[in-house]
């Protein structure tokens, strides 16, 4: 019955670890799973189990103080038949049960853990391989001007493997110019910025000028997430530095396969949520110090990995080409 309902679970020769599963008959093995809720019983033992498998997934870290914001987001995604996974970093799950969709969501609890910590442990590519797109969002996002269905229509039509909704210019926090909404465009892949520390000109080929999305609201295709999950460092929980390397998971040219959707946009409220209110300032400083240290470690690991892997060829060899242009242009990409 399961084979008929889920034909994608059939085992292929190339899906099995060589020599590791010889103790089981091939036909009984299922190589994939999902995050769909299933009933413990059905009315008739002979009736087929009809489980509607959603095609897309929304996963968010949540705390009870942002319940209203999260409710607004989840309602938008529920209408488009998304599977919802909530990572409760404050442990207060009981405070959510009055919401009509709560019992239809997956709830995972771990005190004071970050989005990337949860994602590394509970969104393994094999578990979420049945979903076409994975939305890995923060909780402090306003969705009044956002529709998930229309968003994915644009993503699919433009062939974007990694994307994010643009940010309303009036958002509380904006860190990169490329994420700001352009009122005149449906979407954009790059930005030109001639002021400030980070300058993006016609010779700027990589993040944060092109091929870039920020970590607050990324959207991954199935293939892109399989790559991005492996990029997440198990012990570096804040994810700093990852956004500059996500383009390597774009399944090809990051300047074409990564984009920001302007027509469906969000508001970043910039609310500090992980930690108690009484010690917010002190805790925020500690978190920033830890994040900065993790960024340093991530860069060191990347550079060391590049040196050690003699067979790896960088698909975006920008540095040598940029050095030739530095004397010809006054606009220099800060991120090498």
């Amino acid at each position: 019955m399961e084979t008929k309902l889920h034909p994608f679970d059939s085992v292929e020769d190339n899906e099995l670890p060589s020599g590791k599963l010889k103790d089981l008959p091939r036909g009984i093995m299922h190589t994939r799973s999902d995050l769909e809720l299933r009933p413990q019983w059905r009315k008739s033992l002979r009736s087929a189990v009809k489980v509607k498998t959603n095609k897309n997934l929304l996963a968010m870290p949540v705390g009870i103080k942002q319940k209203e914001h999260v409710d607004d987001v989840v309602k938008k995604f529920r209408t488009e038949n998304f599977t919802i996974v909530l990572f409760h970093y404050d442990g207060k799950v009981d405070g959510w049960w009055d919401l009509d969709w709560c019992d239809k969501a997956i709830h995972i609890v771990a005190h004071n853990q970050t989005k990337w910590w949860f994602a590394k442990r509970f969104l393994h590519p094999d578990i979420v391989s049945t979903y076409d797109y994975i939305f890995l969002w923060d909780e402090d996002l306003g969705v009044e001007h956002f529709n998930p269905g229309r968003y994915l229509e644009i993503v699919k039509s433009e062939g974007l493997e990694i994307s994010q909704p643009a940010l309303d210019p009036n958002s509380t926090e904006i860190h990169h110019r490329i994420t700001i909404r352009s009122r005149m465009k449906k979407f954009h892949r790059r930005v030109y910025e001639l002021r400030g520390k980070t300058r993006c000109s016609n010779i700027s080929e990589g993040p944060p000028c092109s091929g870039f999305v920020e970590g607050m609201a990324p959207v991954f295709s199935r293939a892109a997430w399989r790559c991005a999950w492996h990029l997440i460092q198990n012990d570096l929980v804040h994810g700093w530095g990852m956004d500059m390397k996500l383009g390597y998971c774009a399944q090809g040219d990051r300047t074409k396969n990564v984009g920001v959707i302007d027509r469906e946009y969000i508001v970043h409220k910039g609310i500090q949520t992980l930690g108690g209110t009484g010690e917010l300032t002190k805790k925020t400083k500690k978190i920033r110090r830890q994040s900065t240290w993790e960024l340093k470690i991530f860069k060191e690991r990347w550079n060391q990995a590049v040196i050690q892997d003699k067979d790896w060829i960088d698909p975006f060899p920008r540095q040598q080409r940029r050095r030739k242009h530095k004397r010809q242009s006054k606009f220099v990409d800060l991120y090498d």
Side-chain angles (χ1 to χ4, degrees):
M1 182 180 295
E2 282 289 319
T3 301
K4 293 180 180 179
L5 289 171
H6 302 284
F8 51 78
D9 284 334
S10 59
V11 176
E12 301 292 341
D13 288 342
N14 58 4
E15 291 180 327
L16 291 176
S18 177
K20 293 183 178 181
L21 292 174
K22 293 183 178 180
D23 294 333
L24 295 176
R26 185 175 299 275
I28 199 64
M29 290 184 280
H30 283 199
T31 61
R32 300 183 184 181
S33 185
D34 56 44
L35 292 170
E36 301 305 300
L37 297 173
R38 298 175 184 271
Q40 296 185 43
W41 66 87
R42 56 187 186 272
K43 294 181 180 180
S44 172
L45 294 179
R46 295 186 178 181
S47 63
V49 180
K50 296 182 179 179
V51 178
K52 183 177 181 180
T53 302
N54 295 321
K55 289 187 175 182
N56 305 298
L57 173 73
L58 168 68
M60 301 174 65
V62 300
I64 195 66
K65 293 179 181 178
Q66 304 306 321
K67 179 179 177 180
E68 183 177 349
H69 292 146
V70 174
D71 185 32
D72 291 339
V73 174
V74 171
K75 285 179 178 177
K76 288 263 187 174
F77 282 82
R78 285 284 300 169
T79 60
E80 299 292 337
N81 296 319
F82 272 67
T83 295
I84 309 297
V85 179
L86 300 184
F87 303 132
H88 295 268
Y89 57 76
D90 61 357
K92 298 179 180 179
V93 182
D94 290 342
W96 296 80
W97 293 115
D98 60 315
L99 301 177
D100 57 4
W101 50 261
C102 187
D103 62 343
K104 300 176 181 64
I106 305 294
H107 301 268
I108 301 174
V109 184
H111 283 269
N112 290 325
Q113 299 305 309
T114 69
K115 176 172 71 175
W116 301 109
W117 183 93
F118 280 108
K120 187 66 172 179
R121 286 151 181 81
F122 300 105
L123 298 183
H124 188 280
D126 288 344
I127 298 297
V128 299
S129 63
T130 62
Y131 304 106
D132 293 336
Y133 292 93
I134 293 92
F135 289 62
L136 188 56
W137 281 20
D138 290 351
E139 62 181 329
D140 60 338
L141 303 175
V143 292
E144 181 181 354
H145 306 287
F146 180 83
N147 179 283
R150 292 196 294 265
Y151 179 92
L152 286 179
E153 287 178 3
I154 299 173
V155 166
K156 294 175 183 178
S157 66
E158 301 300 335
L160 301 178
E161 297 286 338
I162 302 175
S163 63
Q164 75 161 81
L167 300 183
D168 188 307
N170 295 319
S171 295
T172 303
E173 285 190 11
I174 296 178
H175 303 125
H176 299 282
R177 178 71 178 82
I178 194 173
T179 63
I180 301 177
R181 181 192 179 217
S182 173
R183 297 179 182 273
M184 305 302 293
K185 296 181 179 179
K186 180 171 66 173
F187 79 105
H188 63 273
R189 292 186 173 97
R190 65 174 300 124
V191 68
Y192 296 93
E193 179 61 59
L194 308 182
R195 299 170 298 176
K197 293 173 60 179
T198 303
R199 300 187 178 185
C200 299
S201 71
N202 58 338
I203 66 168
S204 302
E205 300 175 354
C209 303
S210 67
F212 176 84
V213 298
E214 199 169 0
M216 72 180 71
V219 179
F220 302 91
S221 70
R222 182 191 298 114
W225 176 247
R226 179 168 291 277
C227 171
W229 183 89
H230 286 85
L231 184 62
I232 302 173
Q233 305 294 289
N234 191 62
D235 58 331
L236 305 183
V237 298
H238 293 287
W240 278 31
M242 262 189 56
D243 51 4
M244 294 294 170
K245 301 301 183 185
L246 284 177
Y248 285 90
C249 293
Q251 311 303 297
D253 189 345
R254 64 185 175 188
T255 65
K256 297 179 179 179
N257 297 347
V258 180
V260 178
I261 310 301
D262 298 293
R263 189 166 294 174
E264 301 297 324
Y265 62 99
I266 58 177
V267 177
H268 185 210
K269 300 179 183 296
I271 301 173
Q272 295 287 344
T273 55
L274 192 57
T277 56
E279 53 183 353
L280 183 60
T281 301
K282 183 178 180 180
K283 182 161 289 188
T284 300
K285 291 180 179 179
K286 290 182 178 179
I287 291 176
R288 178 165 289 276
R289 185 163 56 247
Q290 175 70 21
S291 300
T292 302
W293 177 81
E294 289 190 6
L295 173 60
K296 178 177 178 293
I297 298 300
F298 180 82
K299 288 181 176 179
E300 291 174 353
R301 288 182 184 176
W302 177 275
N303 293 335
Q304 187 64 26
V306 170
I307 294 173
Q308 291 178 346
D309 192 343
K310 304 299 183 182
D311 296 325
W312 185 73
I313 299 174
D314 192 339
F316 312 113
R318 303 181 300 133
Q319 292 183 345
Q320 291 183 355
R321 185 161 60 249
R322 181 178 301 107
R323 290 193 185 103
K324 296 179 181 179
H325 285 284
K326 280 185 177 180
R327 294 184 179 181
Q328 303 175 16
S329 174
K330 63 180 180 180
F331 305 130
V332 179
D333 190 340
L334 182 64
Y335 294 84
D336 285 333

